[in-house]
């Protein structure tokens, strides 16, 4: 099992001027620890229960571009891009740019979006949930077409219409950056994973709960003719902070086939926390047996 680092907080001591230096230290600490993944949220206001909306929150892809220049190995992505925030053609260009400038380390993490307050606050359209999922599926089709160098023609959808799906330069990652779809919705989300995703991101649950979600994903894969084993299974850990028994607690999930568990630093000194807490966990998780 691999370890990922997910940074949801930018409230660093010293104010806005302290954020960039600390994020540079986060990148260095994550790579030194041997972590496989580094991500931010895709929000414009801080979300509950992480904190108050007025707390600092950076735009995600700009932040990843900064981290690309301060890292050399770790995979970079948002957990996860809200489909409502950017036109899919623009999103494909943004992720391509990140992939090119990072040397092929970008992942498109994406979901249907949910935080109504920031939509209303910044004037971003917030369609009903069913429409957001329809837009998500169209966005997935668009980015795949944008990343297909043999297909620069139009896209005609219900919500999005592109006269040209030209994307030059192409991504460094071939055939394209991986697509990680977040959520555990059994009828829609996991079906989209089976049809379009290279990975899923599940919420932390009991081993029995995670096993059930994976069984649902396997059934969707069978329906669409997808190789279940080709999909990376990731999970965001949300049960407090990892303790000395964390690796033992993760053993059941490793046996279920979870490839990466992502943890979030608490407080306002994430780089030091990564060094102190995460570095000892990486070899322990790597040694966990899998079925």
């Amino acid at each position: 099992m691999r370890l990922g680092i997910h940074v949801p907080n930018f409230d660093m001591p010293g104010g806005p001027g302290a954020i960039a230096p600390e994020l540079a230290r986060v990148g260095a600490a994550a790579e030194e620890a041997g972590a496989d993944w580094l991500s931010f949220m895709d929000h414009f206001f801080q979300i509950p229960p992480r904190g108050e909306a007025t707390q600092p929150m950076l735009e995600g892809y700009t932040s990843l571009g900064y981290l690309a220049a301060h890292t050399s190995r770790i995979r970079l992505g948002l957990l996860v891009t809200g489909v409502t925030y950017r036109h899919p053609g623009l999103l494909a260009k943004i992720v391509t740019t990140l992939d090119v400038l990072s040397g092929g380390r970008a992942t498109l993490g994406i979901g249907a979006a949910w935080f109504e307050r920031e939509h209303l606050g910044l004037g971003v359209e917030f369609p009903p949930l069913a429409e957001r999922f329809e837009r998500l599926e169209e966005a997935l089709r668009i980015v795949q077409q944008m990343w297909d160098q043999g297909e620069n023609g139009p896209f005609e959808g219900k919500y999005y219409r592109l006269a040209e799906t030209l994307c030059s330069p192409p991504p460094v990652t071939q055939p394209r950056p991986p697509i990680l779809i977040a959520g555990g919705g059994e009828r829609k989300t996991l079906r989209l994973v089976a049809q379009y995703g290279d990975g899923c991101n599940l919420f932390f649950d009991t081993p029995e709960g995670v096993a059930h979600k994976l069984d649902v994903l396997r059934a969707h894969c069978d329906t669409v003719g997808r190789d279940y084993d080709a999909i990376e299974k990731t999970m965001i850990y949300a049960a407090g902070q990892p303790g000395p028994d964390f690796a033992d607690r993760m053993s059941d999930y490793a046996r279920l086939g979870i490839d990466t568990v992502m943890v979030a630093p608490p407080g306002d000194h994430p780089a030091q926390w990564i060094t102190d807490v995460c570095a000892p966990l990486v070899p322990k998780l790597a040694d966990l047996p899998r079925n």
Side-chain angles (χ1 to χ4, degrees):
M1 180 181 280
R2 298 181 293 269
L3 184 71
I5 309 295
H6 178 61
V7 180
N9 177 41
F10 299 101
D11 201 0
M12 314 301 182
I19 296 175
E22 180 65 14
L23 290 184
R25 290 190 287 269
V26 163
E31 292 202 321
E32 180 66 24
D36 181 71
W37 164 271
L38 181 58
S39 60
F40 302 117
M41 300 192 297
D42 190 25
H43 288 292
F44 306 124
F45 299 167
Q46 181 58 277
I47 63 171
R50 292 287 182 187
E52 300 296 326
T54 52
Q55 290 180 247
M57 179 55 56
L58 299 184
E59 194 283 318
Y61 280 106
T62 311
S63 304
L64 289 176
Y66 177 78
L67 261 295
H70 288 83
T71 55
S72 60
R73 178 193 58 77
I74 202 163
R75 292 188 297 157
L76 301 169
L78 296 187
L79 200 63
V80 290
T81 308
V83 71
T84 51
Y85 297 134
R86 301 165 190 83
H87 187 283
L90 173 61
L91 177 61
K93 286 294 294 184
I94 291 170
V95 178
T96 299
T97 300
L98 176 64
D99 195 65
V100 169
L101 296 183
S102 68
R105 294 185 285 127
T107 292
L108 170 58
I110 193 166
W114 63 272
F115 193 21
E116 184 176 16
R117 177 175 176 176
E118 65 188 358
H119 286 79
L120 299 179
L122 298 184
V124 177
E125 185 179 1
F126 189 64
L129 181 61
E131 180 179 328
R132 299 202 306 275
F133 271 101
E134 290 175 350
R135 288 178 177 268
L136 175 58
E137 183 158 10
E138 282 195 17
L140 290 165
R141 291 169 56 201
I142 289 167
V143 296
Q144 289 191 344
Q145 185 168 323
M146 291 276 291
W147 287 334
D148 181 352
Q149 295 304 293
E151 175 56 273
N152 294 333
F155 177 91
E156 290 289 334
K158 181 178 179 180
Y159 301 103
Y160 304 109
R161 294 169 182 82
L162 289 72
E164 297 181 85
T165 50
L166 177 64
C167 187
S168 181
V172 171
T173 302
Q174 290 297 313
R176 56 171 173 76
I179 296 171
L180 177 74
I181 300 174
E186 296 179 13
R187 187 169 63 89
K188 293 182 179 180
T189 303
L190 294 177
R191 192 265 302 172
L192 292 175
V193 173
Q195 192 162 356
Y196 300 101
D198 302 292
C200 65
N201 184 255
L202 301 175
F203 298 116
F204 180 73
D205 197 354
T206 63
E208 294 76 16
V210 171
H212 171 70
K213 297 295 184 183
L214 294 176
D215 286 343
V216 172
L217 175 59
R218 188 187 295 274
H220 282 301
C221 288
D222 290 342
T223 299
V224 302
R226 182 75 186 281
D227 180 3
Y228 169 84
D229 292 328
I231 296 173
E232 182 182 10
K233 290 83 175 175
T234 75
M235 179 179 70
I236 181 73
Y237 181 74
Q241 297 305 313
D245 64 341
F246 182 74
D248 291 336
R249 294 186 64 192
M250 291 300 104
S251 61
D252 288 338
Y253 301 96
R255 281 190 286 268
L256 289 173
I258 295 296
D259 300 292
T260 302
V261 60
M262 301 169 183
V263 297
D268 47 18
H269 297 284
Q272 191 61 52
W273 184 87
I274 291 168
T275 298
D276 294 343
V277 175
C278 295
L281 291 177
V282 169
K284 295 179 181 179
L285 292 173
D287 287 341
L288 292 178
R290 294 169 56 91
N291 286 345

